C-alpha cells in the first residue's frame, strides 16, 4: 500500500530541483583504500555508454535512449583511469551550470550515483575543490533526501541510501547520516536474502550493489559492523555463482560491461580487510551442479522481489552449462532497456533454456519492466549433483517438471508437462560453437559434445541471436525440441 501511495505522489508532486544548501557542513577527510576504477567511457569529447558512441549533446540528450542519457548523468567517467583533475572539474562545472534545467540528471537515481562519483572525485582531489562544488554536492544530497524512491523500491532505493550514507559521511551531516543509516539497514535487511543474494536475482545487479556496499564500508566513519557483515554474505553468495573463469551467468537482467567483474570486487573487499567463505545457494533459487567435466547453474527460484519485478524474466527452471570451462549452453542475455519487441522477447520464456507451452511464458512479462501472473516454483529434490523442481504457470497453471542430473561425463535434463499439452524446450548454443543434426535423435557439437534427445516428437535447429552486452549481438543456433508428456535430452563427451 505504501508503494502505491508513493506512486501516486510521484505522479502528482513536482520533483523539480531547487538549489538549497545554505550552510555546507565540514568535510571529513576519510582514509580510504583504492576503490574500483570506472570503465573508460569518455575520450576526446566523445562518450560511449552501452556500446553506443556519441559526442556530447547536452545533459538531456535522449537520441541514444533514456538509459544512455542516465549514464551520462551518472558521471562515472570522471573516475575512470586517466581523467585529470582539470578535465573532471570542467565537466562538474558544466553540470552545475545547467542543473536547473536538467530534468534527467536531477531524477533521484542518476542523482544518487552522481553523488557517490563526486564524493570519490572530491576525496581524490581535495585541494582543488571549491565551496561552489561542495555546495552543489550538498544541495543534490538534500534534493535526493526529499525524493527517495519509495515509489520504486528495489535497487533504486538502495542506491539512494548508499548515496546519502556516503555523502553524509563525507560532509559530516550527522542528522542525514542517522537517517540514511536507518534506511540502509532497513533495505539491506529487506533485499539481501539469507543466502547472500540480492532479491532481484540478477548477478549483474548483485555485483553493482555489492560494489556500492563496499564503497559504504570504505567511506564509513562509524565502523558499522552490520554493513561489513552484509558485504561478507554477498561476497559468499557471489563465490558460489561463478564459472571457473570467475564470470557470472546472465540470469534475469544481466549483461557484461556494466557491473565490476567479480575479481575486481574480491580484490576491493580484500583491500578493506574483509574475509568470507562461499555460502550454499538456497533462498535465491539458484543451484550450482558440478562434475569433472560439466558445470551447470540452474534457476529454480520464484520471483522474490514480488513488488518490484522489473528486472525479472520468465526463466523458471532455465540454466546455463559449461563443459571443461567453456560455454556450451548460454542465456540470450539482454541488449536493451527500451520498451520494444526485443526487450519483450529477452524477458520471455522463449529466450531462455527452458520450456514454453504454446505462446505462453511461465510468468506474464509485459511493458518492459512489469510482471503479471507469476509462476510458482518448488524444489522437490535438492542434491549435490541432482535437482528436481517443478513450475506451475503458463496462465493455465500447467506444471513443468524438470530434472537436472550432472554426472562425470554427461548431464541429462528431463522435462515433463501435465495436461497432455505440447511444449517446446530450447537450448541456446554458445556463439563460438557449431552444431549439426546427425540423426533423428542426435546433434553433434564441434567441441566434441553429443546431444542425445529421447521421446521427443521432433526437433529443429534454428538461427538465433544472443547478447552478453548491451546493443551487441552474436549469431548462434538454438535447438528447439517439440514434446508432450516426458522427454529427456543429455550432453555427453
Amino acid at each position: 500500500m505504501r508503494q502505491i501511495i508513493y506512486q501516486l505522489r510521484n505522479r502528482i508532486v513536482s520533483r523539480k530541483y531547487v538549489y538549497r544548501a545554505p550552510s555546507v557542513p565540514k568535510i571529513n577527510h576519510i582514509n580510504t583504500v583504492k576503490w574500483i576504477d570506472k570503465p573508460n567511457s569518455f575520450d576526446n569529447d566523445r562518450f560511449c555508454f552501452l556500446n553506443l558512441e556519441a559526442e556530447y549533446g547536452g545533459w538531456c540528450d535522449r537520441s541514444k535512449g533514456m538509459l544512455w542519457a542516465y549514464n551520462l548523468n551518472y558521471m562515472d567517467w570522471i573516475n575512470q583511469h586517466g581523467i585529470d583533475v582539470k578535465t573532471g572539474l570542467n565537466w562538474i562545472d558544466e553540470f552545475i551550470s545547467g542543473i536547473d534545467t536538467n530534468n534527467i540528471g536531477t531524477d533521484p537515481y542518476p542523482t544518487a550515483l552522481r553523488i557517490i562519483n563526486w564524493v570519490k572525485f572530491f576525496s581524490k582531489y581535495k585541494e582543488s575543490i571549491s565551496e561552489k562544488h561542495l555546495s552543489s554536492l550538498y544541495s543534490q544530497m538534500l534534493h535526493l533526501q526529499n525524493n527517495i524512491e519509495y515509489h520504486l523500491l528495489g535497487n533504486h532505493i538502495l542506491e539512494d541510501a548508499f548515496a546519502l550514507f556516503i555523502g553524509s559521511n563525507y560532509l559530516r551531516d550527522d542528522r542525514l547520516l542517522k537517517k540514511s543509516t536507518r534506511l540502509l539497514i532497513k533495505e539491506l535487511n529487506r533485499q539481501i536474502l539469507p543466502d547472500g543474494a540480492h532479491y532481484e536475482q540478477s548477478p549483474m545487479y548483485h555485483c553493482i550493489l555489492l560494489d556500492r556496499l563496499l564503497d559504504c564500508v570504505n567511506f564509513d566513519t562509524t565502523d558499522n559492523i552490520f554493513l561489513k557483515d552484509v558485504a561478507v554474505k554477498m561476497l559468499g553468495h557471489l563465490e558460489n555463482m561463478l564459472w571457473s573463469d570467475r564470470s557470472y551467468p546472465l540470469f534475469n537482467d544481466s549483461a557484461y560491461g556494466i557491473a565490476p567483474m567479480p575479481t575486481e570486487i574480491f580484490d576491493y573487499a580484500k583491500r578493506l580487510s574483509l574475509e568470507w567463505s562461499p555460502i550454499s545457494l538456497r533462498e535465491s533459487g539458484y543451484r550450482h551442479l558440478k562434475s569433472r567435466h560439466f558445470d551447470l547453474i540452474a534457476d529454480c527460484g520464484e520471483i522474490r522481489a514480488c513488488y518490484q519485478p522489473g528486472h525479472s524474466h520468465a526463466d523458471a527452471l532455465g540454466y546455463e552449462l559449461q563443459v571443461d570451462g567453456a560455454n556450451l549452453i548460454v542465456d540470450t542475455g539482454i541488449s536493451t532497456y527500451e520498451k520494444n519487441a526485443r526487450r519483450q522477447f529477452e524477458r520471455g520464456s522463449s529466450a531462455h533454456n527452458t520450456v514454453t507451452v504454446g505462446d505462453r511464458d511461465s510468468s506474464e512479462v509485459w511493458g518492459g519492466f512489469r510482471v503479471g501472473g507469476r509462476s510458482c516454483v518448488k524444489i522437490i529434490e535438492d542434491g549435490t549433483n541432482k535437482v528436481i523442481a517443478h513450475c506451475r504457470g503458463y496462465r493455465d497453471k500447467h506444471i513443468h517438471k524438470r530434472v537436472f542430473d550432472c554426472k562425470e561425463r554427461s548431464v541429462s535434463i528431463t522435462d515433463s508437462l501435465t495436461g497432455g499439452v505440447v511444449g517446446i524446450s530450447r537450448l541456446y548454443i554458445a556463439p563460438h560453437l557449431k552444431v549439426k543434426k546427425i540423426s533423428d535423435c542426435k546433434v553433434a557439437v564441434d567441441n566434441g559434445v553429443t546431444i542425445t534427445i529421447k521421446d521427443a516428437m521432433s526437433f529443429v535447429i534454428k538461427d538465433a541471436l544472443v547478447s552478453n552486452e548491451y546493443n551487441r549481438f552474436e549469431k548462434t543456433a538454438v535447438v528447439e525440441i517439440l514434446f508432450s508428456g516426458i522427454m529427456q535430452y543429455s550432453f555427453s563427451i
Side-chain angles (χ1 to χ4, degrees):
M1 176 60 74
R2 188 183 189 197
Q3 186 181 19
I4 294 173
I5 293 171
Y6 276 100
Q7 287 277 0
L8 293 172
R9 177 183 179 273
N10 187 63
R11 286 165 169 78
I12 297 170
V13 179
S14 172
R15 293 189 314 200
K16 182 176 174 58
Y17 173 82
V18 177
Y19 175 79
R20 46 168 72 85
S23 178
V24 179
K26 293 182 179 179
I27 297 174
N28 246 335
H29 295 294
I30 305 168
N31 292 322
T32 57
V33 304
K34 185 182 184 302
W35 48 78
I36 299 174
D37 285 335
K38 298 299 182 181
N40 290 348
S41 53
F42 171 76
D43 186 37
N44 293 326
D45 293 327
R46 293 184 67 84
F47 294 95
C48 185
F49 308 118
L50 312 170
N51 294 309
L52 299 175
E53 187 175 329
E55 292 183 350
Y56 174 67
W59 298 107
C60 296
D61 178 12
R62 301 188 190 187
S63 61
K64 300 294 183 183
M66 180 59 87
L67 187 57
W68 198 96
Y70 261 33
N71 272 266
L72 179 67
N73 283 274
Y74 299 160
M75 297 187 73
D76 279 356
W77 36 276
I78 63 173
N79 290 310
Q80 74 180 40
H81 182 72
I83 288 287
D84 59 78
V85 60
K86 181 180 179 182
T87 301
L89 287 177
N90 284 343
W91 280 108
I92 289 171
D93 290 339
E94 171 76 12
F95 184 88
I96 293 172
S97 68
I99 192 170
D100 291 337
T101 57
N102 186 347
N103 61 356
I104 292 178
T106 53
D107 275 357
Y109 191 75
T111 298
L113 271 60
R114 186 175 55 254
I115 286 169
I116 297 171
N117 285 317
W118 281 25
V119 168
K120 289 180 177 180
F121 187 87
F122 292 177
S123 297
K124 186 176 180 181
Y125 299 110
K126 56 179 72 77
E127 302 301 327
S128 302
I129 306 307
S130 70
E131 188 72 15
K132 177 184 76 171
H133 300 133
L134 295 173
S135 180
S136 179
L137 171 65
Y138 191 45
S139 179
Q140 291 174 62
M141 289 166 55
L142 298 178
H143 173 70
L144 179 61
Q145 175 194 220
N146 292 329
N147 292 278
I148 292 172
E149 293 169 279
Y150 293 112
H151 64 296
L152 292 177
L153 301 175
N155 71 84
H156 280 249
I157 196 170
L158 255 185
E159 295 285 17
D160 298 344
F162 288 147
L164 293 175
F165 180 84
I166 290 170
S168 57
N169 269 285
Y170 176 69
L171 288 181
R172 292 193 194 177
D173 186 325
D174 292 337
R175 181 193 59 81
L176 191 51
L177 179 57
K178 289 177 182 178
K179 179 177 180 178
S180 61
T181 300
R182 286 195 302 269
L183 179 62
L184 189 51
I185 291 173
K186 177 182 177 181
E187 288 303 321
L188 288 172
N189 275 323
R190 185 204 303 260
Q191 297 192 35
I192 305 306
L193 301 175
D195 70 354
H198 181 249
Y199 75 159
E200 292 184 50
Q201 296 158 296
S202 157
M204 178 184 79
Y205 277 100
H206 184 94
C207 289
I208 290 171
L209 297 170
L210 177 51
D211 174 36
R212 216 83 75 205
L213 179 56
L214 294 179
D215 284 340
C216 288
V217 173
N218 201 3
F219 280 89
D220 181 21
T221 59
T222 64
D223 194 26
N224 191 307
I225 301 301
F226 175 79
L227 299 184
K228 296 178 181 178
D229 289 344
V230 176
V232 165
K233 279 177 58 176
M234 294 182 73
L235 289 161
H237 172 82
L238 185 59
E239 279 279 8
N240 235 351
M241 280 292 292
L242 303 181
W243 303 114
S244 59
D245 66 357
R246 312 300 273 169
S247 63
Y248 51 77
L250 300 181
F251 293 125
N252 292 304
D253 274 351
S254 290
Y256 298 132
I258 303 298
M261 291 306 291
T263 50
E264 296 178 293
I265 292 173
F266 293 146
D267 287 344
Y268 188 14
K270 290 174 184 175
R271 292 194 293 273
L272 290 166
S273 301
L274 297 180
E275 298 179 358
W276 65 94
S277 302
I279 295 177
S280 297
L281 302 176
R282 300 183 303 272
E283 292 83 3
S284 62
Y286 291 119
R287 294 297 184 269
H288 197 161
L289 311 181
K290 295 181 182 181
S291 67
R292 179 181 174 187
H293 293 281
F294 289 96
D295 196 351
L296 182 149
I297 304 179
D299 183 355
C300 301
E302 298 178 344
I303 295 173
R304 295 302 301 262
C306 57
Y307 53 84
Q308 179 48 281
H311 296 296
S312 300
H313 291 197
D315 61 351
L317 307 187
Y319 69 97
E320 291 190 32
L321 178 65
Q322 290 195 346
V323 58
D324 293 328
N327 286 335
L328 174 58
I329 302 298
V330 299
D331 196 279
T332 57
I334 54 170
S335 63
T336 182
Y337 274 179
E338 297 297 308
K339 297 176 183 179
N340 55 26
R342 183 68 193 183
R343 171 68 175 165
Q344 180 65 25
F345 166 76
E346 289 172 349
R347 295 185 74 211
S349 297
S350 60
H352 301 285
N353 301 299
T354 188
V355 169
T356 55
V357 176
D359 62 349
R360 298 187 288 275
D361 297 318
S362 56
S363 293
E364 295 177 90
V365 292
W366 63 283
F369 295 91
R370 298 184 182 274
V371 180
R374 291 103 192 267
S375 59
C376 176
V377 183
K378 183 178 181 180
I379 295 175
I380 52 182
E381 182 177 326
D382 200 358
T384 303
N385 294 102
K386 185 177 182 179
V387 171
I388 303 175
H390 65 65
C391 165
R392 182 187 294 271
Y394 306 99
R395 287 194 300 222
D396 294 327
K397 300 303 179 184
H398 296 297
I399 295 177
H400 168 214
K401 180 181 176 183
R402 173 163 274 187
V403 181
F404 299 94
D405 195 358
C406 187
K407 296 183 171 63
E408 184 173 322
R409 299 185 65 85
S410 68
V411 168
S412 65
I413 310 290
T414 304
D415 285 322
S416 62
L417 284 170
T418 60
V421 296
V422 174
I424 298 176
S425 191
R426 289 177 174 83
L427 295 72
Y428 283 90
I429 309 298
H432 68 281
L433 298 173
K434 304 296 182 185
V435 293
K436 181 180 179 181
K437 183 176 182 177
I438 56 176
S439 75
D440 288 341
C441 63
K442 288 191 177 183
V443 175
V445 189
D446 66 355
N447 64 352
V449 172
T450 299
I451 305 173
T452 303
I453 303 167
K454 297 179 181 179
D455 301 320
M457 299 166 66
S458 63
F459 76 88
V460 294
I461 301 173
K462 295 182 177 180
D463 293 333
L465 293 174
V466 297
S467 179
N468 62 16
E469 295 183 17
Y470 283 88
N471 298 300
R472 281 189 179 169
F473 296 95
E474 293 182 271
K475 294 180 179 180
T476 190
V478 57
V479 180
E480 295 187 350
I481 306 170
L482 194 71
F483 75 100
S484 182
I486 300 176
M487 177 276 298
Q488 182 186 86
Y489 60 88
S490 61
F491 308 90
S492 58
I493 55 175

